């Protein structure tokens, strides 16, 4: 052992490792900035990270052979050895971590059957029938707000937007969509906006039989769009015989602002924020700025717009946490906006969700975050983001469950999101429940087969499992 330690000292492996890690970290910071500027896909950034990880092993091999001489000279024989090591290592990584062909087929083939309650619904993306295609933000906003109102009804199971956005407005096989999402009914629709008026066509369909349960056309002025969103939520609840509590009736009938211009800007901001969250923004930095301007414009048009303050707060926390905006003071702005939203509307679930993220991401104050997320869940019982947030905080707190039950509940409401099964698998790995973790890694990679992060983590789990 002493001889081995002496060789380590002579070859300066520790110094080389520290120097390499420092240089790789600096390089990743630069890559992150460039990637944001040019809108590089997430897969490219993950590939660079993986290459740097492999590079560490190459550096240590070189240091072992040449550290005594203090020079990094490599012979032809050593280059062949290194190439073989990398080739064998890469092959093993691929064989261990690649998804099973049956898993890959599951992206189009049926996933394992989910429980399908009678009172369950998925709101598919609405079709944009407007002559001006830039109204896409308005169409998506109407779908989002109807879904949000339905998610506030505790008697319903409502699938998250993250899962429903993966489908077309009018998919061919509704029975299969219902199976994959675990719902009995599907809401399809179209929106046509022209000047100051809007037409919304909606139909509620039984997924198993592909029969219409309810259909309605709404012709309204744009300024009265809130009435449509509330009426739809109430009509769906009636069609599914879902009883609303008094507080839920009040929530789905609430009007967030009486200013049409403020609401329009709010929908633009949320549309741009959605692009950031789904990694579909070509230029994340520019998209972030545009979203901030839209949210700011909505608040300027209506200073009492509590929902706009709440969504901007969550947006600001997201920007800092994911490195889109690295200014330290942005969490102060997020906290100020969340406090303002709660002052205007103390029972607003979105405001409590935003404040929860201020505590979680901004201050690492986990008990305070859980308290706010709990208040958010009380008024948004079908919100997968709330359930996932509770799970992530509990995992950071440690404990025997590591947030797994909450993340599993979130996965029921968001069954087509690959992040949730991957994070559940990570928690299971930490608990040394390797076989269970493998099942969830397979599920994650069935949804997104080229997720480098899941592949690497699955490999680690396989190594630990032996």
């Amino acid at each position: 052992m002493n001889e081995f330690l002496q060789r380590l000292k002579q070859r300066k492996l520790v110094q080389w490792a520290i120097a390499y890690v420092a240089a790789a970290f600096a390089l990743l910071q630069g890559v992150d900035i460039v990637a944001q500027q040019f809108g590089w896909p997430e897969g490219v950034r993950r590939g660079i990270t993986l290459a740097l990880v492999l590079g560490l092993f190459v550096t240590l091999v070189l240091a072992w052979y040449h550290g005594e001489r203090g020079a990094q000279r490599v012979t032809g024989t050593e280059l062949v050895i290194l190439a073989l090591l990398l080739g064998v290592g890469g092959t093993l990584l691929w064989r261990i971590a690649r998804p099973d062909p049956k898993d890959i087929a599951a992206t189009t083939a049926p996933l394992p059957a989910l429980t399908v309650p009678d009172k369950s619904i998925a709101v598919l993306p609405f079709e944009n029938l407007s002559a001006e295609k830039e109204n896409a933000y308005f169409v998506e906003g109407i779908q989002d707000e109807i879904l949000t109102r339905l998610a506030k009804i505790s008697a319903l199971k409502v699938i998250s937007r993250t899962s429903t956005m993966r489908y077309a407005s009018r998919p061919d096989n509704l029975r299969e969509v219902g199976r994959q999402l675990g719902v009995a009914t599907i809401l399809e629709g179209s929106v046509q906006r022209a000047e100051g008026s809007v037409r919304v066509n909606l139909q509620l369909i039984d997924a198993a039989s592909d029969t219409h349960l309810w259909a309605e056309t709404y012709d309204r002025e744009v300024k009265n769009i809130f009435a449509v969103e509330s009426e739809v939520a109430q009509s769906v609840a009636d069609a599914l015989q879902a009883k609303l509590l008094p507080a839920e009736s009040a929530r789905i009938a609430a009007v967030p602002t009486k200013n049409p211009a403020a609401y329009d800007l709010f929908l633009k901001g949320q549309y741009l924020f959605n692009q950031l969250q789904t990694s579909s923004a070509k230029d994340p930095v520019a998209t972030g700025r545009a979203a901030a301007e839209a949210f700011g414009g909505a608040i300027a048009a209506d200073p009492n717009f509590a929902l706009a303050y709440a969504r901007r707060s969550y947006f600001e926390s997201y920007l800092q946490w994911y490195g889109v905006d690295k200014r330290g003071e942005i969490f102060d702005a997020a906290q100020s906006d969340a406090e303002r939203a709660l002052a205007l509307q103390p029972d607003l679930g979105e405001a409590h969700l935003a404040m929860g993220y201020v505590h979680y991401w901004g201050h690492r104050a986990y008990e305070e975050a859980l308290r706010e997320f709990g208040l958010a869940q009380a008024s948004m019982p079908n919100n997968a983001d709330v359930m996932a947030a509770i799970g992530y905080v509990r995992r950071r707190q440690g404990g025997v469950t590591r947030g797994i039950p909450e993340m599993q509940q979130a996965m029921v409401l968001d069954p087509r999101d690959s992040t949730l099964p991957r994070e559940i698998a990570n928690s299971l790995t930490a608990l040394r429940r390797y076989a269970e973790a493998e099942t969830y890694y397979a599920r994650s990679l069935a949804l997104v087969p080229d997720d480098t992060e899941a592949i690497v983590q699955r490999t680690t789990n396989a190594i630990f499992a032996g």
Side-chain angles (χ1 to χ4, degrees):
M1 177 60 70
N2 288 335
E3 182 180 353
F4 176 71
L5 294 176
Q6 186 63 26
R7 288 186 178 182
L8 284 180
K9 184 176 180 180
Q10 290 174 339
R11 289 162 171 77
K12 300 180 180 179
L13 255 68
V14 175
Q15 293 93 323
W16 275 107
I18 293 174
Y20 182 90
V21 170
F25 179 78
L27 179 60
L28 284 174
Q29 295 299 307
V31 167
D32 186 51
I33 294 172
V34 174
Q36 291 174 18
Q37 292 287 340
F38 293 96
W40 289 0
E42 190 65 25
V44 172
R45 286 183 271 189
R46 289 174 176 168
I48 293 173
T49 302
L50 183 59
L52 289 173
V53 171
L54 292 174
L56 174 62
F57 292 99
V58 175
T59 299
L60 293 178
V61 171
L62 292 174
W64 179 264
Y65 278 100
H66 298 282
E68 290 177 291
R69 296 199 299 268
Q72 300 305 311
R73 297 190 297 271
V74 189
T75 66
T77 302
E78 290 167 350
L79 281 174
V80 172
I81 293 172
L82 287 173
L84 288 172
L85 285 173
L86 289 174
V88 171
T91 301
L92 288 174
L93 177 66
W94 170 251
R95 289 182 64 84
I96 294 174
R98 67 175 177 172
D100 187 275
K102 292 182 291 185
D103 294 335
I104 296 175
T107 56
T108 52
L111 288 172
L114 300 172
T115 302
V116 183
D118 292 336
K119 297 178 176 61
S120 55
I121 185 170
V123 183
L124 298 187
F126 290 172
E127 186 177 3
N128 181 13
L129 299 181
S130 306
E132 298 177 353
K133 295 307 175 185
E134 59 268 24
N135 278 319
Y137 77 90
F138 183 82
V139 175
E140 184 176 299
I142 299 304
Q143 179 222 357
D144 277 357
E145 291 307 305
I146 290 174
L147 191 155
T148 299
R149 289 172 191 262
L150 288 171
K152 295 180 179 181
I153 303 174
S154 57
L156 290 178
K157 172 188 174 182
V158 183
I159 299 301
S160 169
R161 176 187 179 278
T162 309
S163 287
T164 59
M165 65 177 284
R166 301 178 184 275
Y167 297 91
S169 298
R170 299 181 186 278
D172 294 330
N173 191 341
L174 282 180
R175 180 176 297 178
E176 183 56 35
V177 173
R179 246 173 57 85
Q180 291 179 354
L181 296 177
V183 294
T185 59
I186 291 173
L187 186 67
E188 291 184 342
S190 63
V191 178
Q192 184 174 9
R193 181 182 182 182
E195 297 180 352
S197 63
V198 60
R199 167 171 287 187
V200 181
N201 286 299
L202 297 173
Q203 50 189 356
L204 184 66
I205 304 170
D206 183 284
S209 61
D210 199 1
T211 57
H212 287 69
L213 302 175
W214 164 83
E216 190 63 71
T217 298
Y218 300 88
D219 287 303
R220 297 285 195 279
E221 294 182 11
V222 171
K223 64 182 181 181
N224 294 325
I225 193 61
F226 303 116
V228 173
E229 295 166 356
S230 299
E231 287 177 40
V232 170
Q234 183 64 61
S235 296
V236 168
D238 291 343
L240 298 182
Q241 298 180 356
K243 186 177 180 180
L244 273 65
L245 301 173
E248 293 170 346
S249 296
R251 289 187 195 110
I252 67 172
V255 176
T257 177
K258 295 181 180 180
N259 188 317
Y263 189 61
D264 193 74
L265 286 166
F266 169 78
L267 293 182
K268 285 182 180 177
Q270 189 61 37
Y271 177 76
L272 294 166
F273 186 21
N274 286 339
Q275 290 186 333
L276 283 180
Q277 291 179 294
T278 57
S279 301
S280 59
K282 295 181 179 179
D283 186 339
V285 175
T287 301
R289 290 197 194 102
E293 290 176 5
F295 282 130
I299 290 169
D302 181 1
N304 296 318
F305 196 168
L307 183 59
Y309 282 107
R311 292 278 175 85
R312 186 171 73 170
S313 171
Y314 177 39
F315 162 73
E316 289 163 336
S317 294
Y318 179 93
L319 290 184
Q320 221 287 332
W321 182 256
Y322 286 99
V324 181
D325 187 335
K326 298 183 179 180
R327 294 174 298 152
E329 63 270 20
I330 196 167
F331 273 128
D332 294 333
Q335 180 164 340
S336 177
D337 279 340
E339 289 172 348
R340 177 61 176 160
L342 288 170
L344 289 167
Q345 198 170 337
D347 61 346
L348 182 63
E350 290 87 348
H352 288 291
L353 177 64
M355 184 60 80
Y357 274 108
V358 169
H359 289 305
Y360 170 24
W361 286 343
H363 305 304
R364 312 296 196 275
Y366 300 134
E367 286 300 326
E368 291 84 348
L370 285 176
R371 184 180 64 250
E372 293 294 336
F373 289 146
L375 292 169
Q377 186 183 17
S379 60
M380 299 189 295
N382 285 291
N383 190 301
D385 292 337
V386 176
M387 289 307 309
I390 293 172
Y392 296 150
V393 171
R394 291 201 184 282
R395 182 169 63 182
R396 284 183 172 261
Q397 289 181 311
V400 294
T401 66
R402 299 272 178 171
I404 292 172
E406 291 81 9
M407 285 187 274
Q408 288 173 327
Q409 290 179 52
M411 202 171 87
V412 170
L413 299 174
D414 201 355
R416 302 293 290 179
D417 179 15
S418 67
T419 302
L420 285 166
R422 186 187 72 207
E423 294 303 323
I424 293 170
N426 291 342
S427 292
L428 289 167
T429 298
L431 293 171
R432 301 183 181 181
R433 291 159 59 180
Y434 305 122
E436 294 174 73
E438 167 59 24
T439 300
Y440 281 96
Y441 281 127
R443 174 66 178 267
S444 178
L445 287 165
L447 295 167
V448 181
D450 61 348
D451 184 346
T452 306
E453 190 172 347
I455 291 172
V456 172
Q457 291 164 348
R458 189 187 197 188
T459 302
T460 303
N461 181 71
I463 293 172
F464 287 155

